[in-house]
Amino acid sequence: MPDPSIVPADQILSNKLVLIPLAGRPIFPGIFTPLMVNAADDLKAIEQASSGDSLVGIVMLRNDAERPCTDDLHKVGTVARIVKKINLPDGGLNIFISTIKRFRIKRVISEREPMCAIVEYLEDTEDDTFEVKALTRALISEMKEISENNPLFSEEMRLNMVNIDHPGKIADFIASILNVDKNDQQRVLEMENVRQRMETVLVFIKKEQELLRIQKKIQTEINDKVEKNQREYFLKEELKSIKEELGMTTDAKSSDYQKFKEKLDSLHFTGEIKETVDSELEKFSLMDPSSAEYIVSRNYLETIASLPWKEPDPEYYDLDRAKEILDEDHYGLDDVKKRIIEYLAVRRLKKDNKGSIILLVGPPGVGKTSVGRSVARAMNKPFFRFSVGGMRDEAEIKGHRRTYIGAMPGKIIQGLKIVKTKAPVFMIDEIDKMGQSYQGDPASALLEVLDPEQNVSFRDHYLDLPFDVSDIVFILTANTFDSIPEPLLDRAEIISLSGYIDQEKMEIGKKYLLPKSLDKNGLKKNQVKYTKEAFHLIAESYAREAGVRNFEKNLDKIHRKYATELIMSQEVKDATAALDKLLADTGDQAPAPKKESSEIKAARTALSKALSKPLSIAAADIEKYLGKPVFNEEEILKADKPGTALGLAWTSMGGDTLLIEAMDMPAGPGKEGLMLTGQLGDVMKESASIAMSWVRMFALKEKICKVEWFDKHFIHLHVPEGATPKDGPSAGITMATALMSLVRGKKIKANLAMTGELSLTGKVLPIGGLKEKTVAAKRNKVKTIIIPRQNLRDLDDIPDIVKKGLSFLPVSTMEEVLSLVF
């Protein structure tokens, strides 16, 4: 029996080894493998080793040095015995080596020609525990699964793996055959602890399994697509052959025909519509696809097929929810909301799906369009909006006839194609701004659309079929009644939006406009806060119009300037520079949020804090951001001279105050009379003539002056702001008051304004727009307003907050007016 202490001579390992640098992956112990050697230094090392014990040290290079030295090598390598050498034609060698054991370089003897070092051999530790045995089984089991699914693993490799008797060698063998990064393989080579080595290799196996799973999934998807495409191709070819044998056409035209026929048959047309559609389908089937008529016919059939011909579903309205939606979207407008809720209640009570026509009239910016959108949301219906402002061609409403090139349906049919339902909400904006031309009158074209007696069979010129549009809820918007045709007004239910007072603007600004503007300009919620006085100043001095559009623009202007101040502030610049420097130190790309260092997170927090700096704006700060006030207190109109009187007017932009001025001068023979200036309309000129006639009659009757005064004086009546067109009868009593003040030579009472139409016999007739006029009067510091007695009922519609501090004096005759003003 041999002595176990005796070691065979060929297994004695020398502590002095010549080293072969390895540019590729490391070679593990226990492996028999060929190795190509071409470098001169390496050839010398092989010759030196072959002349001795045939042992060489195989060590992986750290870098790609052209002439490596020992400093370029890893410290741990594998000792190998040269088994065979084969000379190559190019002067190199192909050697077969058998790797034996790990070693670590202790001391370098020779840097080059060849490299030589004193080494120590590394023994495996912790290689006989229960954990190692369990890990051995796990490694073999997992590798079997990989080898079965990977054709690159040969049967010989599987057998070698099973027959290896040492756990450490199993881990080495698996690490050498897995597709792992060479630095990870070197890390495994340097591990003396077998358990740690096996755990690391097990992680590599799991990654390989995941890659194989993904690879298999991708391959399966690709195969499925290829198989599906091939199957579809064969089926199509087979279908084509069958159709050819049966004499059936196989082109795109027949496909279109079949598609249209199936769709149109499913709509179950009757009468005229069925006859027209069947005729068009028959013509389409006989047309040549290359002809121009083919495309026209195809587009026509496509339009018919895409329209919602089916009857709409029954409606149900939750009035409480509708009220919530209207309150959520709009502040104030109580009259409008009340009318809309009443309208919905009637529709629910009648169980009637038929649409109706609502006309919203009011100044710009009061929310007419958004009210229409809210109505659609409250009714749970699709919403479609188009504007007819500036429209001059009736074909925009009723479409073009198909005989024209590029013919299209009108906006009504286009909208129905888009919403895909027969009972949507249609908003037609700016109907007071439609025009007329040689192309037709779009306002007249709208009459058929909006007439409940006619729109059950509306005929679009393009469609040329009766289509029922009576289920559509039409909401029209306009700024004024003046230019809307009477027949169109007659068909609509009119709801007036009279505009907002300053207090309402402030509430709207606070609840709706401020959050919207902050978000639009990149600022955070509540980052900018306004005092009540600041909001009031914006409404009073910068945004006096009836709507809130200018109010929003002014808020945007403030927030843009503050955003600029923030970005340009030194604090934000410093915080941005600090963050950019930290990010630059981490590389070109910013790290993922979870992997950011505490310094980067702190820098981001500092920048966010600097950008979130709050701002409080008082009334004194407004001028800094918005400049000088647009409306100044010094611009308040006063009738403080004889011949002047303050009137109230309604415009499409809201209420306004008018200072009417009268002046007399001596006139020569034939030069007496009345001259009017100030861009006055025909109705206002007539009012001035009536006022002049009444004043002349009253002055002579009451013997205020003699008839010679009128014969010898030329009177000039002027309404300032001459560039602004002004019209309407409501300044009648104001003009008469100004003329009477001129005749008497006496000024009227201070802080007094008036509105009312004057008849030739001296009666004061009612006017409209009293709320807007009252708001304008209050803005002008007026204390007393003279109104027609018949307008007393309109005072109930004016909010108490507007009427507060004002006195209303109702009058029926011009004599009453004169008794109050002097």
Tab-separated table of all heavy atoms in Angstrom, residues 10 27 43 111 119 129 139 150 163 254 309 326 382 454 486 500 511 527-528 559 590 611 717 734 737 739 790:
chain	number	residue	atom	x	y	z
A	10	ASP	N	5.621	14.427	-10.518
A	10	ASP	CA	4.966	15.330	-11.454
A	10	ASP	C	3.911	16.217	-10.810
A	10	ASP	O	3.326	17.071	-11.447
A	10	ASP	CB	4.328	14.522	-12.596
A	10	ASP	CG	3.280	13.550	-12.066
A	10	ASP	OD1	3.234	13.344	-10.847
A	10	ASP	OD2	2.481	13.039	-12.907
A	27	ILE	N	-8.453	31.484	-16.723
A	27	ILE	CA	-8.631	30.027	-16.845
A	27	ILE	C	-8.645	29.451	-15.439
A	27	ILE	O	-7.760	29.722	-14.630
A	27	ILE	CB	-7.511	29.400	-17.690
A	27	ILE	CG1	-7.529	30.028	-19.095
A	27	ILE	CG2	-7.678	27.890	-17.783
A	27	ILE	CD1	-6.401	29.553	-19.981
A	43	LEU	N	6.724	33.352	-25.834
A	43	LEU	CA	7.410	32.197	-26.423
A	43	LEU	C	8.639	31.828	-25.603
A	43	LEU	O	8.936	30.643	-25.382
A	43	LEU	CB	7.801	32.517	-27.872
A	43	LEU	CG	6.636	32.631	-28.880
A	43	LEU	CD1	7.141	33.141	-30.228
A	43	LEU	CD2	5.964	31.262	-29.057
A	111	GLU	N	10.578	41.403	-14.567
A	111	GLU	CA	9.444	42.148	-15.115
A	111	GLU	C	9.101	41.680	-16.527
A	111	GLU	O	7.945	41.632	-16.916
A	111	GLU	CB	9.767	43.642	-15.149
A	111	GLU	CG	9.791	44.321	-13.811
A	111	GLU	CD	8.395	44.538	-13.253
A	111	GLU	OE1	7.415	44.469	-14.012
A	111	GLU	OE2	8.287	44.759	-12.026
A	119	VAL	N	5.576	32.662	-5.995
A	119	VAL	CA	4.142	32.581	-5.746
A	119	VAL	C	3.853	31.741	-4.531
A	119	VAL	O	4.707	30.968	-4.063
A	119	VAL	CB	3.410	31.992	-6.974
A	119	VAL	CG1	3.661	32.822	-8.213
A	119	VAL	CG2	3.804	30.546	-7.213
A	129	THR	N	-18.940	21.407	4.308
A	129	THR	CA	-20.030	21.665	5.248
A	129	THR	C	-21.355	21.268	4.605
A	129	THR	O	-21.431	20.994	3.410
A	129	THR	CB	-20.086	23.167	5.608
A	129	THR	OG1	-20.397	23.912	4.424
A	129	THR	CG2	-18.753	23.656	6.172
A	139	LEU	N	-26.416	23.869	-7.510
A	139	LEU	CA	-25.691	24.255	-8.712
A	139	LEU	C	-25.909	23.246	-9.835
A	139	LEU	O	-26.199	23.619	-10.981
A	139	LEU	CB	-24.189	24.373	-8.415
A	139	LEU	CG	-23.735	25.618	-7.636
A	139	LEU	CD1	-22.252	25.547	-7.351
A	139	LEU	CD2	-24.024	26.878	-8.425
A	150	ASN	N	-30.386	25.088	-23.613
A	150	ASN	CA	-29.350	25.772	-24.383
A	150	ASN	C	-28.582	24.753	-25.220
A	150	ASN	O	-27.849	23.912	-24.677
A	150	ASN	CB	-28.399	26.505	-23.430
A	150	ASN	CG	-27.505	27.492	-24.169
A	150	ASN	OD1	-27.284	27.353	-25.369
A	150	ASN	ND2	-26.978	28.467	-23.454
A	163	ASN	N	-19.526	14.498	-12.977
A	163	ASN	CA	-18.449	13.618	-12.489
A	163	ASN	C	-17.415	14.345	-11.656
A	163	ASN	O	-16.521	13.688	-11.087
A	163	ASN	CB	-17.764	12.941	-13.684
A	163	ASN	CG	-18.709	11.954	-14.370
A	163	ASN	OD1	-19.583	11.363	-13.715
A	163	ASN	ND2	-18.543	11.790	-15.679
A	254	SER	N	-64.337	45.972	-54.545
A	254	SER	CA	-65.374	45.045	-54.055
A	254	SER	C	-65.384	44.999	-52.540
A	254	SER	O	-66.431	44.853	-51.908
A	254	SER	CB	-65.134	43.657	-54.620
A	254	SER	OG	-63.886	43.147	-54.186
A	309	TRP	N	-77.676	57.731	-37.317
A	309	TRP	CA	-79.068	57.689	-37.777
A	309	TRP	C	-80.011	57.127	-36.714
A	309	TRP	O	-81.209	57.360	-36.754
A	309	TRP	CB	-79.176	56.826	-39.046
A	309	TRP	CG	-78.469	57.407	-40.223
A	309	TRP	CD1	-77.191	57.167	-40.612
A	309	TRP	CD2	-78.995	58.344	-41.168
A	309	TRP	NE1	-76.879	57.879	-41.738
A	309	TRP	CE2	-77.979	58.618	-42.114
A	309	TRP	CE3	-80.234	58.979	-41.330
A	309	TRP	CZ2	-78.150	59.481	-43.177
A	309	TRP	CZ3	-80.406	59.843	-42.396
A	309	TRP	CH2	-79.377	60.098	-43.299
A	326	LEU	N	-72.986	73.346	-12.400
A	326	LEU	CA	-73.053	74.771	-12.753
A	326	LEU	C	-72.398	75.634	-11.681
A	326	LEU	O	-71.680	76.595	-11.986
A	326	LEU	CB	-74.504	75.194	-12.961
A	326	LEU	CG	-75.212	74.575	-14.179
A	326	LEU	CD1	-76.694	74.887	-14.148
A	326	LEU	CD2	-74.591	75.089	-15.471
A	382	PRO	N	-72.432	64.812	-25.350
A	382	PRO	CA	-71.222	65.308	-26.035
A	382	PRO	C	-71.398	66.778	-26.411
A	382	PRO	O	-72.509	67.237	-26.668
A	382	PRO	CB	-71.114	64.426	-27.282
A	382	PRO	CG	-72.015	63.275	-27.043
A	382	PRO	CD	-73.070	63.715	-26.089
A	454	GLN	N	-89.051	72.768	-38.904
A	454	GLN	CA	-88.345	72.391	-40.130
A	454	GLN	C	-87.181	71.448	-39.895
A	454	GLN	O	-86.837	70.654	-40.783
A	454	GLN	CB	-87.800	73.649	-40.834
A	454	GLN	CG	-88.864	74.642	-41.246
A	454	GLN	CD	-88.249	75.843	-41.937
A	454	GLN	OE1	-87.476	75.703	-42.877
A	454	GLN	NE2	-88.598	77.035	-41.472
A	486	GLU	N	-84.395	89.184	-36.672
A	486	GLU	CA	-85.583	88.947	-35.841
A	486	GLU	C	-86.095	87.510	-35.917
A	486	GLU	O	-86.444	86.926	-34.901
A	486	GLU	CB	-86.689	89.933	-36.245
A	486	GLU	CG	-86.497	91.333	-35.697
A	486	GLU	CD	-86.584	91.391	-34.182
A	486	GLU	OE1	-87.310	90.557	-33.596
A	486	GLU	OE2	-85.918	92.239	-33.590
A	500	TYR	N	-70.422	91.188	-14.586
A	500	TYR	CA	-70.074	91.068	-13.176
A	500	TYR	C	-69.772	92.433	-12.572
A	500	TYR	O	-69.192	93.297	-13.224
A	500	TYR	CB	-68.840	90.173	-13.005
A	500	TYR	CG	-69.011	88.780	-13.556
A	500	TYR	CD1	-68.355	88.394	-14.712
A	500	TYR	CD2	-69.817	87.850	-12.922
A	500	TYR	CE1	-68.495	87.115	-15.225
A	500	TYR	CE2	-69.969	86.574	-13.415
A	500	TYR	CZ	-69.307	86.213	-14.571
A	500	TYR	OH	-69.457	84.948	-15.068
A	511	LYS	N	-61.458	82.406	-6.501
A	511	LYS	CA	-61.821	80.979	-6.541
A	511	LYS	C	-61.400	80.278	-7.827
A	511	LYS	O	-61.097	79.090	-7.811
A	511	LYS	CB	-63.335	80.830	-6.362
A	511	LYS	CG	-63.823	81.183	-4.968
A	511	LYS	CD	-65.309	80.933	-4.839
A	511	LYS	CE	-65.811	81.248	-3.438
A	511	LYS	NZ	-67.263	81.032	-3.302
A	527	GLN	N	-48.880	80.208	-3.721
A	527	GLN	CA	-47.559	80.837	-3.643
A	527	GLN	C	-47.662	82.353	-3.687
A	527	GLN	O	-46.836	83.054	-3.109
A	527	GLN	CB	-46.666	80.323	-4.775
A	527	GLN	CG	-45.210	80.768	-4.649
A	527	GLN	CD	-44.298	80.090	-5.638
A	527	GLN	OE1	-44.694	79.165	-6.336
A	527	GLN	NE2	-43.061	80.529	-5.725
A	528	VAL	N	-48.666	82.864	-4.388
A	528	VAL	CA	-48.895	84.316	-4.449
A	528	VAL	C	-50.230	84.606	-3.782
A	528	VAL	O	-51.258	84.032	-4.160
A	528	VAL	CB	-48.902	84.820	-5.910
A	528	VAL	CG1	-49.122	86.323	-5.946
A	528	VAL	CG2	-47.598	84.454	-6.612
A	559	HIS	N	-48.088	87.353	-12.436
A	559	HIS	CA	-47.431	86.071	-12.161
A	559	HIS	C	-46.248	85.845	-13.099
A	559	HIS	O	-45.251	85.246	-12.690
A	559	HIS	CB	-48.452	84.933	-12.281
A	559	HIS	CG	-49.545	85.046	-11.268
A	559	HIS	ND1	-50.797	84.513	-11.441
A	559	HIS	CD2	-49.580	85.659	-10.055
A	559	HIS	CE1	-51.548	84.782	-10.394
A	559	HIS	NE2	-50.836	85.474	-9.543
A	590	ALA	N	-28.025	62.457	-14.984
A	590	ALA	CA	-28.414	62.551	-13.573
A	590	ALA	C	-28.767	61.169	-13.054
A	590	ALA	O	-29.356	60.357	-13.764
A	590	ALA	CB	-29.604	63.486	-13.427
A	611	LEU	N	-37.491	78.235	-5.279
A	611	LEU	CA	-38.508	78.460	-6.310
A	611	LEU	C	-39.902	78.576	-5.725
A	611	LEU	O	-40.818	79.037	-6.402
A	611	LEU	CB	-38.481	77.313	-7.330
A	611	LEU	CG	-37.256	77.269	-8.249
A	611	LEU	CD1	-37.244	75.989	-9.061
A	611	LEU	CD2	-37.221	78.486	-9.170
A	717	LEU	N	-74.428	120.218	-29.672
A	717	LEU	CA	-74.569	119.136	-28.687
A	717	LEU	C	-73.499	118.069	-28.989
A	717	LEU	O	-73.406	117.571	-30.113
A	717	LEU	CB	-75.961	118.497	-28.768
A	717	LEU	CG	-76.293	117.468	-27.685
A	717	LEU	CD1	-76.485	118.169	-26.347
A	717	LEU	CD2	-77.553	116.703	-28.045
A	734	THR	N	-81.382	112.634	-20.903
A	734	THR	CA	-80.102	113.280	-20.565
A	734	THR	C	-79.841	114.445	-21.513
A	734	THR	O	-79.393	115.525	-21.093
A	734	THR	CB	-78.964	112.241	-20.646
A	734	THR	OG1	-79.360	111.036	-20.013
A	734	THR	CG2	-77.706	112.761	-19.987
A	737	THR	N	-82.109	117.283	-20.597
A	737	THR	CA	-81.639	117.942	-19.362
A	737	THR	C	-80.464	118.858	-19.664
A	737	THR	O	-80.381	119.981	-19.135
A	737	THR	CB	-81.238	116.874	-18.327
A	737	THR	OG1	-82.360	116.038	-18.049
A	737	THR	CG2	-80.746	117.507	-17.043
A	739	LEU	N	-79.745	120.336	-22.486
A	739	LEU	CA	-80.235	121.503	-23.239
A	739	LEU	C	-80.976	122.470	-22.329
A	739	LEU	O	-80.818	123.697	-22.435
A	739	LEU	CB	-81.139	121.025	-24.378
A	739	LEU	CG	-80.436	120.282	-25.527
A	739	LEU	CD1	-81.458	119.637	-26.450
A	739	LEU	CD2	-79.531	121.237	-26.303
A	790	GLN	N	-91.315	102.661	-15.303
A	790	GLN	CA	-91.590	101.297	-15.754
A	790	GLN	C	-90.410	100.348	-15.540
A	790	GLN	O	-90.557	99.141	-15.690
A	790	GLN	CB	-91.979	101.310	-17.234
A	790	GLN	CG	-93.299	102.027	-17.499
A	790	GLN	CD	-93.647	102.004	-18.983
A	790	GLN	OE1	-93.618	100.950	-19.600
A	790	GLN	NE2	-93.975	103.166	-19.534
